[in-house]
Amino acid sequence: LVSRPPAMPTVVLMDVSLSMTRPVQLDGTEEFQRKNLAVHGLTMLFEHMATNYRLEFTALVAFSSLWELMVPFTRDYNTLQEALNNLEDYDKTCLEPALQGVSNIVQQEWGSTCPCQVVLVTDGSLGIGRGSLRHSLSTIKHRSEDKKFPLPFPFPAKLYIMCIANAEELQNSDTLDNLEQLLSLNGGEGQIFTVEGPLKLIDQAYTPFHAVLRCGNLSSDVQVFPRPEPVIMDEEVDPAPRTILTDLEIVGFIEIGDISSPPVLSRHLVLPIAVNKDVDEMGTGTTDETEEENSANQMAGKSPNFCVLLHGSLKVEGMVALVQLGPEWYGMLYSQADSKKKSNLMMSLFEPGPEPLPWLGKVSQLGPTSDAKENPYGEDDSKSPFPLQPKSKRSYAQNVTVWIKPSGLQTDVQKILRNARKLPEKTQTFYKELNRLRKAALAFGFWDLLKGVADLLERECTLLPDTAHPDAAFQLSHAAQQLKLASTGDSQYAAFDHNITPMLTDFSGSGSSDRDRM
Amino acid sequence: MKMFSISHKTAFVVDHCPYMAESCRQQVEFDMLTKNRPQGVIPLAPVSKSLWTCAVECSMEYCRILYDIYPTRKLVNFIVSDSEFHILNSWNQADQSTQELMAALAAVGPPNPHEDPECCSILHGLMAAVESLCKITEYQHEARTTLMDKADRVSNRGRIICITNAKSDTHVRMLEDYVQETIQEQNKLAISSDRLMQIQQCELVLIHTYPFGEETLVSDRPKKEISPVLTSEVHSVRAGRHLASKLNILVQQHFDLASTTITNIPMKEEQHANTSANYDVELLHHRDAHMEFIKSGDLHPAGSTSRDSGLKETVTLKWCTPRTNSVELHFCTGAYRISPVDVNSRPSSCLTNFLLNGRSVLLEQPRKSGSKVISHMLSSHGGEIFLHVLNCTRSTLEDPPSISEGCGGRVTDYRITDFGEFMRENRLTPFPDVQGSEVAGKVPLERAKRQLERHTRYWPMIISQTTIFNMQAVVPLASLIVKESLTEEDVLTCQKTIYNLVDMERKNDPLPISTVGTRGKGPKRDEQYRIMWNELETLVRTHMGSSERHQRVLDCVLACRSKPPEEEDRKKRGRKREDREDKGEKNGKDSESERSWQESERLKAALERDREELAEAEVIKDSPDSPEPLNKKPRLEVEDVQPAEKAKGPVSLLTMWTNRINTANSRKHQEFAGRVNSVNNKAELYQHLKDENGMDPHENGKAMR
């Protein structure tokens, strides 16, 4: 009932070359093939995952000189187990194409941002000559772009190598060196295990992340799934991996519309767990263990849990909870609906830092609304203090002048002309456009344009029809004269902050009413 | 990109010598022929920009894009050079805007063609640029101050973009050598100064520009290392649009930008308003917005085009007309500021205005396979437009078990609405960053956490666990008691709430006690009230330490519920003997209470009498629903009777002592203004509220919150 889900997708890459059928010498017992040992180890892994990580996706790839996707990503461990039991034996070990295969499979399924675990199971005899790992590694520096070695994977990956060989065997060859080189190609992400590997692997890679979620005095024990990976920030000084705290503290709430689809590093399910000490202390091995677990789970289902309350209210109210993950590191909790009926409490991690979202500002400067003189959300919830307005406007929000393309300049001149023909009604817009052009021309040192536009306005003046308002002629010649003066560069007329103002005329009755309207 | 990478500081050096006044020899028609013009008008001669105008407008465009995408932390210092250097702004963030620079450029004006060319040189500007790169920026200063002993680890790198008209390749080499020497000199000076930093790395970008139709005297040269500190590259470009596209490519290279073209934007035709055509708009943004394409090798999908020099690539994404305005929380892996390439073209401004008005647009990525997927979203936040990258691959979190299948999932009576109300009360709001606020313990976020702590001291999660939070009558007290500090008026409201409960009990009003999990009709009425009072006391007790006024509210609760438990016990026993083992707290008292029962009964009678007297008085004085604050007098009498049973009642020693003190004080205190001014012993309360909003605050109930 209480599900304990997984970490991240796993690809099991199983060596099925002939050498895997070599026997292992174990004292006083019957002879085993290495393959049997490998299958036994993987069975343990699958069993562990089936009980503890039911949500984990796992794929099985078998390889020799060729590779084959035996089981695509699935949560069905029976299928995996069955395929594992029915593996046949093939020829030699060629690791490079198999790794390339894994890379393709993962990218097709999960893209290049989803972290994955790759579990390579081999006997440590990594081939000879062409196609051997040794050969691949020795030619790694002389590759063309399209024949690059598959490592490092384009997605974040941990490479776990289960080597079915004992330490003595490994020491007598360069296998360990080659495998270590493989790990370092993967950015050091991963580990090599020998015969007794499976249990250690389970310990290392498949330990659930437990935390306490708090909101003031309300709290719940939770599992965060997948396990949040440490984050390294590309900062100037001492970049150190940062891990999220196991004490997750809610600091307040924000509307979904206000947080507005923020960018996140990763998403995680937050699953309430019942920390049942009695069951833990009893240990394992009792026959009715499962039964007891079930009843414990049923009990847990019936006692109120803060996560469920929080999830319900977040969903109904359309809000998110801001949660502190560490010093200057925050995330958000929200309800994520998978289908009409199923929904879950999710946590997304923001990029570490004091100000992860420009539209919220510094998180440390967010405080309770009750501290504000006036409710920033309005008495009837009609307002919002978000988004925060930046200090300066961006170019596209402030009508900038760019004349790099002739069309930009032509449009601006046309705007002036259009308004010029509707004088005196458009006096205000005419001068507004005129001043915008004047400013830009002065900044760009484009005095010829000022003269040109002055000539244009003078010509317009001569072309005015008899029916034109007398004010039009006055304004046009006034504007032309002012532009000409500016084009001399005379500091009295060419000051950037100076604006040409409409000429005050006796007919300005209509002009002034226009001004009122604007 | 690291904080103090080369692109933290960019020094622009633009040549202002007489030859820059020369025409670029590309003409711009500005007198366009339009319809309904009288025939026979000869258009005015086209104008031509000078080399200076071209250089300045292209560098302004570079800055425009830079400031759009990096509003902070990427700084420009603009310098012009003729017979001397003119520094147009500083590294200060306040000086970083195109308006500032335009105003300063207007003051400089175009180059004077009549100035003596012998006196003029770009070298003045280059020297000023090197000096300027040594100057510490606000951000570097801040980083050094925070790092203290590791201050030397803050680096100082920068770039010089120099737009000039060089005479030859030899001339270019001379300029490079000059910059190299100046760096060495300035670095020596910088050692002994607090406000200067040594230049660790400098990238010189020399742009030779010349009029259209002339042969270039300078050859292009890719980046090369002049010294460990200095690299240099040379670009030889014709003025006008060639220079513009060169600087556009450079700003992309220098600041890790990439281009996306939004295609299929439906837009009304200017001339024919009822038709619409589809337009494309090109945007620049940080190249990480294309990360998924780069990694998957999908960077050259069917829709992408390679234009101009082949250096410039753009990813094409298709506009999806938004259907609803609903707010949705998308799974977004990145958000990057954008800048339109053609900022004031009509399609660009249509798109940006649409977004600035608050609409979001989803963008579809055409894939090699022909399948379609929504990969990005354009959205504005506070007047800034961002390109959001949406996750479009399969999620590992798909199909998880529902929360209702886990811990607490079977519980059906969570106080969802109440917690929603709680969340609204605990919404966050930004406060201005005031210096020294940390010291006073007033960091807004810390205050938010403290508020959450106060509000959750007693917060039952399910409806059947609580009585008081299901009672409208308790709301005024419950919403006030969690406050950090109470006003005198708040205390009064709390007391009124409590008296109201007393009154309800007296009238035997039913309580919303949950009968979940109990057989039969549930507890009897008096037991219900006992449960209610216990819960109320628990709530108020968690806040008693907050202030003296909180304590007074608790005192009031304790005083009002001081019905001796023995009486309840007796009734209970009479009803059901087996109930006894459930109430562990009462065990042990039973035998004792048997003895003291008669005594307590006598006491109760006295209490009841007092209460009745009081009630009668109230009926005359006020409406029955809002009893007046308890008089000191009856309380005094209760006090006098109580010593007979001391520790047995729910009144604690502390409360008794406090009551005594209060009583003593009350004898000394001045009479309430209300009582003094009352007419027929009747004083109207909250007169000012009526004046303010014309409502009786009591009838407002929950809405008051």
Side-chain angles (χ1 to χ4, degrees):
Chain A
L1 186 76
V2 180
S3 61
R4 304 187 201 129
M8 43 181 135
T10 301
V11 185
V12 174
L13 182 57
M14 173 80 172
D15 188 343
V16 289
S17 66
L18 263 184
S19 60
M20 286 290 282
T21 60
R22 285 182 299 154
V24 219
Q25 244 66 50
L26 292 171
D27 302 327
T29 52
E30 56 183 307
E31 219 172 61
F32 282 111
Q33 287 184 1
R34 281 162 207 259
K35 190 175 99 170
N36 303 137
L37 220 57
V39 167
H40 179 67
L42 285 176
T43 306
M44 279 167 65
L45 179 65
F46 288 164
E47 274 171 3
H48 173 81
M49 284 162 68
T51 32
N52 296 288
Y53 290 96
R54 241 174 288 163
L55 291 183
E56 182 67 275
F57 284 97
T58 305
L60 178 64
V61 177
F63 78 103
S64 54
S65 63
L66 301 172
W67 62 268
E68 187 183 349
L69 176 60
M70 306 304 289
V71 184
F73 283 101
T74 180
R75 285 169 171 160
D76 181 356
Y77 288 95
N78 290 333
T79 316
L80 286 161
Q81 189 62 50
E82 210 169 295
L84 187 65
N85 294 339
N86 296 327
L87 286 177
E88 288 175 38
D89 307 320
Y90 295 91
D91 56 345
K92 60 176 183 172
T93 309
C94 291
L95 196 52
E96 185 178 338
L99 289 171
Q100 187 60 57
V102 168
S103 176
N104 295 344
I105 290 166
V106 171
Q107 280 190 85
Q108 257 167 37
E109 195 80 46
W110 311 108
S112 53
T113 47
C114 173
C116 277
Q117 326 222 43
V118 178
V119 179
L120 166 64
V121 185
T122 177
D123 61 342
S125 62
L126 301 166
I128 32 169
R130 272 189 165 275
S132 70
L133 181 61
R134 192 183 303 117
H135 182 258
S136 290
L137 292 174
S138 66
T139 57
I140 205 156
K141 288 200 176 114
H142 320 284
R143 307 289 190 98
S144 60
E145 194 63 19
D146 54 330
K147 281 184 182 158
K148 276 209 316 211
F149 191 72
L151 260 57
F153 289 119
F155 45 88
K158 292 222 162 94
L159 179 62
Y160 297 105
I161 304 173
M162 264 167 61
C163 203
I164 313 297
N166 58 42
E168 197 184 327
E169 282 175 294
L170 291 173
Q171 269 161 18
N172 295 338
S173 67
D174 60 353
T175 302
L176 211 53
D177 291 343
N178 286 333
L179 291 179
E180 270 163 8
Q181 207 179 332
L182 214 53
L183 279 192
S184 71
L185 276 174
N186 196 42
E189 292 289 340
Q191 206 171 340
I192 301 169
F193 302 95
T194 49
V195 178
E196 63 283 357
L199 288 174
K200 280 194 191 157
L201 173 66
I202 288 167
D203 266 9
Q204 287 258 311
Y206 296 94
T207 320
F209 185 91
H210 288 175
V212 180
L213 178 65
R214 281 182 212 288
C215 175
N217 295 296
L218 299 168
S219 72
S220 167
D221 290 295
V222 295
Q223 181 186 350
V224 179
F225 166 79
R227 206 188 153 78
E229 292 296 303
V231 174
I232 298 177
M233 291 307 290
D234 184 21
E235 282 159 309
E236 186 81 2
V237 183
D238 295 335
R242 303 181 56 159
T243 351
I244 76 168
L245 297 172
T246 50
D247 208 49
L248 304 170
E249 190 179 7
I250 290 175
V251 296
F253 301 87
I254 294 178
E255 312 267 347
I256 281 187
D258 288 340
I259 200 102
S260 194
S261 296
V264 300
L265 292 176
S266 56
R267 285 193 314 172
H268 308 265
L269 284 170
V270 176
L271 302 144
I273 48 171
V275 179
N276 195 330
K277 292 197 176 83
D278 298 344
V279 172
D280 285 353
E281 277 159 19
M282 294 226 309
T284 51
T286 48
T287 45
D288 50 0
E289 186 191 331
T290 19
E291 216 168 278
E292 266 185 39
E293 200 169 283
N294 277 343
S295 71
N297 286 345
Q298 259 159 25
M299 290 286 286
K302 281 177 187 160
S303 58
N305 189 291
F306 171 60
C307 284
V308 186
L309 172 69
L310 174 69
H311 168 268
S313 299
L314 288 174
K315 187 175 181 173
V316 170
E317 300 286 336
M319 291 173 94
V320 306
L322 212 58
V323 60
Q324 181 145 22
L325 309 170
E328 298 204 323
W329 194 8
Y330 305 91
M332 62 172 178
L333 290 158
Y334 52 96
S335 160
Q336 169 85 21
D338 194 59
S339 62
K340 270 176 212 139
K341 282 186 181 162
K342 283 185 174 180
S343 64
N344 252 297
L345 187 61
M346 285 274 240
M347 179 166 75
S348 288
L349 315 188
F350 300 145
E351 199 165 88
E355 196 182 332
L357 308 173
W359 51 94
L360 292 193
K362 270 194 187 160
V363 178
S364 62
Q365 289 305 119
L366 298 178
T369 45
S370 55
D371 275 8
K373 287 197 187 79
E374 213 176 288
N375 187 349
Y377 289 92
E379 291 310 321
D380 51 352
D381 253 6
S382 56
K383 292 191 289 183
S384 169
F386 302 108
L388 227 59
Q389 299 291 325
K391 285 194 188 108
S392 58
K393 279 185 169 181
R394 305 285 85 88
S395 71
Y396 45 81
Q398 54 173 337
N399 200 11
V400 290
T401 314
V402 180
W403 292 333
I404 286 175
K405 287 189 175 170
S407 59
L409 178 65
Q410 285 154 2
T411 314
D412 286 348
V413 174
Q414 287 297 316
K415 268 187 213 160
I416 293 172
L417 270 188
R418 252 202 322 271
N419 287 299
R421 281 168 205 154
K422 287 177 190 158
L423 286 173
E425 288 78 24
K426 293 282 185 181
T427 307
Q428 291 302 318
T429 11
F430 170 74
Y431 280 100
K432 196 181 122 207
E433 290 298 331
L434 192 74
N435 280 313
R436 193 162 76 88
L437 176 124
R438 177 185 170 277
K439 272 194 163 56
L442 288 172
F444 298 151
F446 201 179
W447 293 355
D448 285 353
L449 180 71
L450 294 176
K451 286 179 207 135
V453 174
D455 292 344
L456 202 63
L457 295 180
E458 275 173 354
R459 191 191 63 197
E460 279 308 307
C461 198
T462 64
L463 292 176
L464 282 173
D466 300 339
T467 53
H469 192 285
D471 201 22
F474 279 98
Q475 298 298 350
L476 284 175
S477 46
H478 167 68
Q481 189 206 358
Q482 290 291 314
L483 285 185
K484 283 221 165 109
L485 284 169
S487 76
T488 59
D490 184 326
S491 59
Q492 198 191 333
Y493 301 102
F496 186 75
D497 290 326
H498 175 78
N499 275 322
I500 304 176
T501 48
M503 189 185 198
L504 289 174
T505 60
D506 290 341
F507 339 90
S508 49
S510 58
S512 65
S513 76
D514 173 63
R515 225 162 293 149
D516 293 342
R517 269 205 312 277
M518 293 299 297
Chain B
M1 203 186 282
K2 294 202 171 176
M3 168 82 208
F4 300 120
S5 68
I6 280 188
S7 40
H8 178 54
K9 289 166 149 178
T10 304
F12 257 101
V13 183
V14 181
D15 199 338
H16 194 248
C17 296
Y19 49 74
M20 290 297 280
E22 257 182 61
S23 161
C24 75
R25 294 188 212 150
Q26 290 174 73
Q27 296 185 325
V28 190
E29 293 285 353
F30 70 101
D31 186 16
M32 304 297 285
L33 286 176
T34 48
K35 282 173 284 175
N36 57 52
R37 281 280 75 188
Q39 294 295 311
V41 176
I42 304 156
L44 294 172
V47 286
S48 169
K49 295 174 189 170
S50 63
L51 292 180
W52 164 258
T53 299
C54 293
V56 165
E57 68 176 3
C58 295
S59 34
M60 279 302 105
E61 182 67 358
Y62 182 104
C63 296
R64 178 187 71 79
I65 293 169
L66 167 60
Y67 291 144
D68 271 357
I69 296 173
Y70 297 96
T72 57
R73 289 161 193 271
K74 304 288 174 217
L75 310 171
V76 170
N77 192 206
F78 211 95
I79 298 161
V80 296
S81 181
D82 43 45
S83 58
E84 54 184 344
F85 60 80
H86 311 264
I87 300 180
L88 303 192
N89 69 336
S90 75
W91 293 124
N92 288 346
Q93 188 63 59
D95 274 2
Q96 303 294 316
S97 80
T98 46
Q99 293 100 303
E100 288 282 327
L101 292 174
M102 298 265 277
L105 281 166
V108 170
N112 178 0
H114 310 298
E115 204 170 357
D116 180 7
E118 292 304 311
C119 309
C120 295
S121 166
I122 190 72
L123 294 178
H124 303 299
L126 287 173
M127 188 183 74
V130 173
E131 279 179 15
S132 168
L133 287 182
C134 287
K135 286 184 193 147
I136 192 165
T137 67
E138 298 165 287
Y139 298 105
Q140 286 174 321
H141 179 69
E142 198 190 313
R144 292 215 313 184
T145 324
T146 29
L147 285 172
M148 302 294 281
D149 50 324
K150 286 189 229 156
D152 54 314
R153 291 171 72 172
V154 175
S155 38
N156 186 36
R157 311 183 183 115
R159 179 180 286 122
I160 300 174
I161 302 177
C162 173
I163 307 179
T164 182
N165 180 287
K167 293 177 182 66
S168 63
D169 287 346
T170 332
H171 184 199
V172 165
R173 258 192 303 284
M174 187 274 281
L175 295 179
E176 288 170 341
D177 291 344
Y178 180 77
V179 171
Q180 169 61 26
E181 282 163 28
T182 317
I183 291 176
Q184 281 172 350
E185 283 167 26
Q186 292 298 321
N187 274 355
K188 274 182 209 150
L189 287 176
I191 297 178
S192 52
S193 166
D194 261 1
R195 306 302 302 177
L196 298 178
M197 290 176 83
Q198 290 201 307
I199 300 173
Q200 289 155 341
Q201 210 184 341
C202 175
E203 195 177 285
L204 177 63
V205 181
L206 277 167
I207 301 169
H208 164 70
T209 183
Y210 55 97
F212 202 78
E214 256 179 36
E215 286 298 306
T216 177
L217 304 167
V218 173
S219 36
D220 267 3
R221 204 199 57 215
K223 195 193 279 188
K224 97 169 184 197
E225 196 172 278
I226 307 284
S227 78
V229 182
L230 181 68
T231 60
S232 164
E233 60 192 87
V234 184
H235 303 272
S236 179
V237 277
R238 276 170 292 186
R241 60 189 166 91
H242 303 277
L243 182 62
S245 62
K246 172 57 78 181
L247 277 162
N248 185 284
I249 290 167
L250 287 177
V251 73
Q252 291 189 51
Q253 284 174 355
H254 294 165
F255 294 95
D256 291 337
L257 306 185
S259 152
T260 296
T261 301
I262 316 299
T263 185
N264 260 5
I265 306 174
M267 212 171 80
K268 290 230 159 57
E269 291 281 0
E270 205 162 7
Q271 310 298 333
H272 320 280
N274 49 352
T275 60
S276 94
N278 290 337
Y279 288 88
D280 291 2
V281 171
E282 187 184 352
L283 305 174
L284 296 179
H285 49 78
H286 195 276
R287 65 162 172 239
D288 279 357
H290 289 165
M291 190 61 94
E292 190 69 23
F293 304 139
I294 299 168
K295 279 187 172 170
S296 65
D298 245 4
L299 193 56
H300 310 278
S304 85
T305 49
S306 252
R307 293 167 316 169
D308 293 355
S309 55
L311 249 170
K312 198 167 173 181
E313 283 173 343
T314 185
V315 169
T316 305
L317 295 174
K318 200 173 144 239
W319 161 288
C320 300
T321 303
R323 289 203 169 73
T324 60
N325 256 338
S326 71
V327 263
E328 232 181 298
L329 204 56
H330 293 276
F331 178 22
C332 161
T333 54
Y336 305 92
R337 289 187 176 87
I338 61 104
S339 184
V341 172
D342 253 333
V343 66
N344 50 8
S345 75
R346 199 166 160 267
S348 287
S349 54
C350 272
L351 175 65
T352 51
N353 287 333
F354 182 84
L355 295 165
L356 290 173
N357 283 333
R359 309 290 298 272
S360 295
V361 177
L362 294 172
L363 303 172
E364 188 183 281
Q365 177 208 355
R367 286 208 166 159
K368 273 180 199 161
S369 57
S371 63
K372 288 169 184 174
V373 64
I374 302 287
S375 61
H376 291 78
M377 177 178 79
L378 279 170
S379 188
S380 80
H381 311 287
E384 288 188 288
I385 300 175
F386 290 80
L387 180 62
H388 289 247
V389 183
L390 304 180
N391 182 70
C392 48
T393 48
R394 192 176 166 192
S395 163
T396 46
L397 297 178
E398 70 186 34
D399 201 26
S402 178
I403 191 152
S404 58
E405 293 166 38
C407 286
R410 292 289 178 83
V411 180
T412 51
D413 64 337
Y414 284 106
R415 293 171 58 206
I416 300 284
T417 318
D418 289 348
F419 197 71
E421 183 70 27
F422 165 87
M423 295 194 317
R424 299 199 162 274
E425 279 164 16
N426 286 285
R427 273 184 294 190
L428 296 168
T429 191
F431 287 86
D433 203 345
V434 188
Q435 289 294 316
S437 59
E438 306 84 6
V439 204
K442 279 182 187 157
V443 177
L445 197 70
E446 293 307 317
R447 294 195 39 85
K449 288 183 196 169
R450 280 223 295 266
Q451 178 168 310
L452 284 173
E453 190 279 320
R454 283 200 312 275
H455 282 212
T456 53
R457 284 190 193 159
Y458 177 70
W459 215 99
M461 289 197 282
I462 56 176
I463 295 168
S464 53
Q465 257 173 8
T466 178
T467 304
I468 56 171
F469 292 112
N470 300 332
M471 294 167 65
Q472 194 64 28
V474 181
V475 167
L477 183 144
S479 56
L480 285 173
I481 198 74
V482 295
K483 281 171 63 176
E484 189 177 30
S485 61
L486 297 177
T487 62
E488 224 20 77
E489 210 173 293
D490 292 338
V491 176
L492 214 61
T493 312
C494 291
Q495 287 172 340
K496 273 194 152 194
T497 310
I498 296 162
Y499 302 146
N500 193 18
L501 295 173
V502 172
D503 207 49
M504 283 172 69
E505 185 172 19
R506 188 173 49 80
K507 289 192 286 182
N508 234 356
D509 285 350
L511 289 182
I513 297 266
S514 164
T515 51
V516 176
T518 55
R519 285 193 197 119
K521 285 183 287 180
K524 282 262 168 63
R525 187 80 24 105
D526 55 349
E527 173 69 4
Q528 287 182 3
Y529 272 92
R530 199 184 59 79
I531 292 171
M532 187 277 290
W533 283 115
N534 274 345
E535 200 186 0
L536 189 68
E537 187 184 327
T538 309
L539 168 70
V540 177
R541 201 173 275 284
T542 59
H543 294 278
M544 68 177 188
S546 297
S547 74
E548 182 266 337
R549 286 180 177 141
H550 286 87
Q551 175 66 50
R552 273 167 52 200
V553 177
L554 178 64
D555 293 346
C556 181
V557 173
L558 295 176
C560 287
R561 68 161 306 186
S562 57
K563 193 182 259 187
E566 284 79 6
E567 173 209 357
E568 290 167 27
D569 277 2
R570 178 186 59 90
K571 284 188 180 174
K572 216 168 42 179
R573 201 155 347 122
R575 188 172 72 231
K576 256 184 200 171
R577 285 208 164 253
E578 60 270 30
D579 263 7
R580 215 188 304 163
E581 53 250 50
D582 298 339
K583 312 290 167 198
E585 42 173 5
K586 295 282 184 294
N587 285 355
K589 277 186 183 170
D590 286 0
S591 53
E592 197 189 344
S593 62
E594 200 71 43
R595 263 186 286 118
S596 60
W597 175 68
Q598 284 194 323
E599 189 180 84
S600 73
E601 192 64 350
R602 190 169 44 81
L603 230 148
K604 198 203 86 189
L607 266 169
E608 213 75 305
R609 232 182 303 123
D610 287 337
R611 207 169 279 177
E612 257 148 39
E613 273 168 27
L614 174 64
E616 269 169 34
E618 276 164 15
V619 172
I620 307 163
K621 278 191 274 182
D622 207 337
S623 76
D625 285 336
S626 54
E628 195 168 273
L630 197 55
N631 274 325
K632 301 291 184 215
K633 214 175 151 218
R635 215 157 121 197
L636 212 123
E637 284 172 13
V638 171
E639 190 90 347
D640 287 341
V641 187
Q642 259 180 352
E645 53 151 53
K646 277 173 189 159
K648 284 172 199 156
V651 181
S652 72
L653 201 60
L654 173 68
T655 316
M656 289 173 65
W657 184 73
T658 325
N659 282 347
R660 188 172 289 268
I661 296 291
N662 286 346
T663 316
N665 287 342
S666 75
R667 289 199 189 101
K668 296 175 203 159
H669 84 160
Q670 267 193 327
E671 190 55 75
F672 284 123
R675 216 171 279 157
V676 174
N677 299 332
S678 62
V679 183
N680 290 338
N681 225 355
K682 233 175 167 180
E684 197 172 7
L685 291 173
Y686 301 112
Q687 283 167 325
H688 67 287
L689 277 182
K690 269 187 185 161
D691 295 341
E692 270 164 36
N693 48 20
M695 289 194 286
D696 185 342
H698 263 269
E699 284 165 11
N700 250 351
K702 215 158 184 166
M704 276 291 279
R705 296 198 289 172

